[in-house]
Amino acid sequence: MNIKFIHISIFVSAFFLLASEAFFVVTNSNRGEFFAEGEPQNMSSGLYSAYIHEDNSDYNRIKAKGGLLIDFDLDGDLDLTYGYSSSYYFRNENGVFEDITQSYSIDDQGSRGMVSGDIDNNGYPDILKWRFQEYDPIDSLLYQGGNQDYRRMPHHLLLNFGAHEFSTIQYLSEETLPFLHSQGLVDIDLDGDLDIVAIEKAGDEQFYAFRNNGIDENGDILLEEIYSYFQVDGSSSRTLAIADFDNDGDQDVYIPRKYGINWLFENQTLTGSYDNVVYNPNPNPQFIEVAISNNVHDDSFEDLGSMGYGAAWGDYDNDNDFDLYLSNWGINRLFRNDGNGFTDVTNIYNVYSDSLSNGAAWGDFNNDGTLDLWAGNIRNRDDLFLNDGEVEWNEDYSPRFLTATQDIVAADYNNDGWLDAFTPGLQMASPAPNGAKFTSLLYKNVTPDSTLSVVDYNWVKINLEGANNNISNDGWSDKSNKSAIGARVIITIFEGSIQTREIISGKGHGSMDALELHYGVGYASQIQNIIVRWPSRDPNSNQQKVITYNGPFDVNSTYRIVEDLGFVGLKGDTNSDNNVDILDVMALIDIVLNDYQVSPEIYWAMDLNYSDDLNILDVTKLVYSILFR
């Protein structure tokens, strides 16, 4: 029996029907145990039930301000972590999640938001999570202690050593940035490691950049403040969204704000245009604020100015520059990137959404080849706008669940090639529509299984890994950070059509999308080329490193590309059978003991410690990984 919760509209044209469909089912609700009526939902994901009911206390365990779907153990599927008053960490086993927070002693301190990237360049993505540190009634649940004993909590960095083994360190003191509200990871100076951008919601300085100077002998991260932005108008910053909006090879930062204007900070590490940039080793200033000149300041909310609460970048028109969706507590905005500025096209596509929006996400949820838009709302249902090439995007397939959505994390958690969504959520406050209420939900995309759909649309997924294994701070590196954050990946399909994605660590309302890039390609049966604009330097041209991987490539496939190496399989798959098991351990032992020569791709698969030296430590890590990941 096919399950779907989306309202179905009947169209006259069969083609239009196919282009406009998207079906999901919620996989972490047990409401059916209490009431038979309502939208179909189940508990197949293994997550806690989000249904708010006096006989279901688990809904408190899946409240979240932010969340991540990331392949933390490099086994080819996406694990889940999220947080609010506490944090939880789930291992993904073939699309079913298991809470291993306590059994693996993973830090469970609560979180205002979180992002991920390989901060220490050891090959495994880390978790950066932060807490709001000053008491106010809205944020009181984020503190330990009783009565009025609200002590400041540190911000935690979970360094990942593989197989779900994390070391938790404090990365900012409790007194630093007391009004910290959101962060992201960017290789600001393009030296091959990830730096931190952060905002506070109050104070004269509200935007900061910290350079990553590595991990010291005590295991602590060394951060150096290299930029801050001063303002005195009493306005407030809420969150941030990262992308290379000006196509010059370094990532920029957009900051939705209240009671002033929204900010757009243009990174000055590279200036100029694509393939003709100038590298500035020590720009002063590091960022220039350019929101007004680009028409994305949006101070139009009556007499209050800006009312921004979230934002997300995506190339909805497939022209290889990134457009911007702004979530407001007012009127949401869609800004089209015209190359020399932005045009407000909200009224053209009718993507206003609700009056109280927090997060948003772009993703091709129906695999038709164009990005769709999911807008999260805190006092109403979310809006899913399907971009079907029509002037007004179709919202007939929006979710019917009331969740107080904080953000949307778009990712393919069950590896079927169709984008799913995790929506971190809290308990909806009054006034709210009548109906069942939920906290965070996991939506499984069941479009290809729906009864009305005969869609045979195809997809491609791409994972990147940078070549840098250390932190050196020696200028524009010829090797990218390990997570390849900042890389832009363009696929060419047929007759010159392209699609563009970028690896981004920070968007929406305190979360990020998966590091894995997803492309719907419609009826295309092959991909012609994959073009990667790495954030590193080409030593021959002293321009951005651009590598074209010539196809044709099969669709409905996942590709892994390592910088300066090429296509690889799974980490640990030493015998290339697309599985990681005891046979790989035996093969690795044989190679280590006999010092056999192997191909660079197999060498990469066996080097689990990313040390460029195959030894017994790799054997130990592989055994541990098989047993515990």
Side-chain angles (χ1 to χ4, degrees), residues 281-299:
N282 295 293
N284 187 17
Q286 181 66 59
F287 293 92
I288 297 176
E289 202 287 299
V290 295
I292 292 178
S293 62
N294 281 278
N295 191 38
V296 290
H297 55 295
D298 187 35
D299 58 353

Side-chain angles (χ1 to χ4, degrees), residues 385-557:
F385 299 101
L386 295 181
N387 173 9
D388 53 18
E390 299 297 314
V391 171
E392 185 170 317
W393 292 358
N394 180 9
E395 59 175 320
D396 291 332
Y397 299 88
S398 296
R400 302 300 177 188
F401 291 79
L402 299 173
T403 64
T405 302
Q406 302 298 300
D407 208 347
I408 296 91
V409 181
D412 178 19
Y413 82 87
N414 60 346
N415 277 337
D416 65 352
W418 293 78
L419 273 184
D420 313 298
F422 177 69
T423 59
L426 302 177
Q427 188 166 352
M428 187 172 285
S430 297
N434 293 328
K437 305 298 192 298
F438 304 83
T439 52
S440 306
L441 293 175
L442 181 63
Y443 294 90
K444 179 182 177 181
N445 191 333
V446 295
T447 302
D449 301 322
S450 66
T451 54
L452 289 186
S453 175
V454 292
V455 171
D456 194 22
Y457 286 165
N458 300 312
W459 53 271
V460 167
K461 294 192 295 183
I462 298 174
N463 294 271
L464 298 187
E465 181 183 297
N468 202 6
N469 289 335
N470 55 62
I471 298 174
S472 58
N473 294 326
D474 290 332
W476 192 5
S477 174
D478 61 0
K479 299 181 185 300
S480 302
N481 67 85
K482 212 66 181 171
S483 294
I485 288 171
R488 180 170 293 193
V489 183
I490 305 162
I491 64 170
T492 62
I493 303 173
F494 55 88
E495 298 178 354
S497 64
I498 66 168
Q499 290 187 42
T500 301
R501 305 286 188 268
E502 188 167 304
I503 300 180
I504 294 169
S505 182
K507 68 95 201 171
H509 191 74
S511 299
M512 61 180 281
D513 291 325
L515 296 170
E516 177 178 75
L517 302 177
H518 170 273
Y519 304 76
V521 297
Y523 291 119
S525 59
Q526 289 182 324
I527 301 301
Q528 298 305 311
N529 297 289
I530 299 173
I531 304 168
V532 181
R533 297 182 182 177
W534 299 92
S536 50
R537 176 181 58 88
D538 183 333
N540 295 317
S541 66
N542 283 323
Q543 294 292 305
Q544 184 178 10
K545 183 188 295 182
V546 180
I547 299 179
T548 299
Y549 304 90
N550 295 312
F553 298 102
D554 292 335
V555 296
N556 301 331
S557 300

Side-chain angles (χ1 to χ4, degrees), residues 4-11 13 16-24 365-366 373-374 381-388 393-401 443 447 450 452-453:
K4 47 192 175 292
F5 72 82
I6 306 298
H7 171 71
I8 300 168
S9 295
I10 303 300
F11 300 111
S13 166
F16 187 67
L17 175 66
L18 297 183
S20 302
E21 288 183 327
F23 297 93
F24 297 81
F365 293 101
N366 57 4
L373 174 64
W374 191 313
R381 65 174 178 82
D382 294 351
D383 288 299
L384 174 60
F385 299 101
L386 295 181
N387 173 9
D388 53 18
W393 292 358
N394 180 9
E395 59 175 320
D396 291 332
Y397 299 88
S398 296
R400 302 300 177 188
F401 291 79
Y443 294 90
T447 302
S450 66
L452 289 186
S453 175

Side-chain angles (χ1 to χ4, degrees), residues 199-438:
I199 64 165
E200 291 191 281
K201 78 170 191 177
D204 293 338
E205 294 174 299
Q206 294 185 14
F207 175 57
Y208 303 83
F210 295 89
R211 177 184 288 125
N212 178 2
N213 288 329
I215 308 295
D216 67 16
E217 62 275 8
N218 297 318
D220 295 320
I221 187 171
L222 302 173
L223 296 175
E224 175 189 358
E225 183 181 323
I226 59 172
Y227 180 80
S228 65
Y229 186 72
F230 189 83
Q231 60 83 43
V232 291
D233 63 1
S235 55
S236 174
S237 300
R238 311 308 298 177
T239 184
L240 52 78
I242 299 166
D244 180 14
F245 85 91
D246 53 357
N247 289 349
D248 62 356
D250 54 14
Q251 289 189 311
D252 313 293
V253 183
Y254 184 73
I255 301 178
R257 308 183 68 252
K258 289 175 62 176
Y259 311 133
I261 66 168
N262 301 303
W263 291 336
L264 176 60
F265 285 97
E266 183 180 24
N267 192 345
Q268 299 300 296
T269 297
L270 297 179
T271 53
S273 57
Y274 166 69
D275 77 8
N276 187 26
V277 296
V278 175
Y279 167 63
N280 304 298
N282 295 293
N284 187 17
Q286 181 66 59
F287 293 92
I288 297 176
E289 202 287 299
V290 295
I292 292 178
S293 62
N294 281 278
N295 191 38
V296 290
H297 55 295
D298 187 35
D299 58 353
S300 61
F301 190 76
E302 297 179 350
D303 297 325
L304 297 177
S306 57
M307 288 295 289
Y309 268 76
W313 296 92
D315 183 15
Y316 78 84
D317 49 3
N318 288 336
D319 65 349
N320 196 29
D321 54 27
F322 276 70
D323 313 295
L324 176 67
Y325 189 72
L326 170 64
S327 301
N328 278 325
W329 280 22
I331 299 174
N332 291 2
R333 304 287 185 186
L334 175 58
F335 296 101
R336 185 186 65 220
N337 189 340
D338 296 324
N340 57 356
F342 292 78
T343 301
D344 184 349
V345 294
T346 319
N347 64 326
I348 296 177
Y349 301 109
N350 192 24
V351 289
Y352 291 101
S353 194
D354 192 59
S355 60
L356 291 173
S357 282
N358 273 4
W362 294 96
D364 190 353
F365 293 101
N366 57 4
N367 280 347
D368 68 348
T370 56
L371 284 179
D372 310 304
L373 174 64
W374 191 313
N377 301 312
I378 66 169
R379 294 275 177 89
N380 212 329
R381 65 174 178 82
D382 294 351
D383 288 299
L384 174 60
F385 299 101
L386 295 181
N387 173 9
D388 53 18
E390 299 297 314
V391 171
E392 185 170 317
W393 292 358
N394 180 9
E395 59 175 320
D396 291 332
Y397 299 88
S398 296
R400 302 300 177 188
F401 291 79
L402 299 173
T403 64
T405 302
Q406 302 298 300
D407 208 347
I408 296 91
V409 181
D412 178 19
Y413 82 87
N414 60 346
N415 277 337
D416 65 352
W418 293 78
L419 273 184
D420 313 298
F422 177 69
T423 59
L426 302 177
Q427 188 166 352
M428 187 172 285
S430 297
N434 293 328
K437 305 298 192 298
F438 304 83

Side-chain angles (χ1 to χ4, degrees), residues 86-273:
S86 296
S87 292
Y88 296 86
Y89 181 97
F90 286 79
R91 172 175 57 197
N92 185 348
E93 289 290 339
N94 299 316
V96 178
F97 291 96
E98 177 188 2
D99 182 1
I100 61 171
T101 314
Q102 300 304 321
S103 59
Y104 279 64
S105 300
I106 298 172
D107 177 55
D108 63 356
Q109 177 179 282
S111 175
R112 182 91 194 184
M114 53 181 65
V115 291
S116 180
D118 189 358
I119 293 175
D120 56 358
N121 276 342
N122 76 335
Y124 297 92
D126 309 305
I127 301 171
L128 188 78
K129 65 180 187 179
W130 57 95
R131 296 187 68 110
F132 186 83
Q133 295 190 124
E134 293 288 355
Y135 169 74
D136 68 40
I138 295 176
D139 299 297
S140 61
L141 287 178
L142 296 178
Y143 300 86
Q144 294 178 346
N147 300 322
Q148 296 300 312
D149 180 23
Y150 296 98
R151 67 183 180 88
R152 290 181 175 179
M153 303 299 297
H155 309 286
H156 282 177
L157 168 61
L158 281 64
L159 292 175
N160 185 359
F161 296 98
H164 308 296
E165 179 187 354
F166 292 89
S167 172
T168 301
I169 64 174
Q170 182 176 317
Y171 69 93
L172 286 175
S173 72
E174 291 133 356
E175 290 74 28
T176 304
L177 308 187
F179 297 102
L180 182 62
H181 209 256
S182 193
Q183 292 185 79
L185 294 172
V186 183
D187 187 358
I188 298 170
D189 49 6
L190 298 179
D191 61 351
D193 57 61
L194 294 174
D195 311 299
I196 296 174
V197 289
I199 64 165
E200 291 191 281
K201 78 170 191 177
D204 293 338
E205 294 174 299
Q206 294 185 14
F207 175 57
Y208 303 83
F210 295 89
R211 177 184 288 125
N212 178 2
N213 288 329
I215 308 295
D216 67 16
E217 62 275 8
N218 297 318
D220 295 320
I221 187 171
L222 302 173
L223 296 175
E224 175 189 358
E225 183 181 323
I226 59 172
Y227 180 80
S228 65
Y229 186 72
F230 189 83
Q231 60 83 43
V232 291
D233 63 1
S235 55
S236 174
S237 300
R238 311 308 298 177
T239 184
L240 52 78
I242 299 166
D244 180 14
F245 85 91
D246 53 357
N247 289 349
D248 62 356
D250 54 14
Q251 289 189 311
D252 313 293
V253 183
Y254 184 73
I255 301 178
R257 308 183 68 252
K258 289 175 62 176
Y259 311 133
I261 66 168
N262 301 303
W263 291 336
L264 176 60
F265 285 97
E266 183 180 24
N267 192 345
Q268 299 300 296
T269 297
L270 297 179
T271 53
S273 57

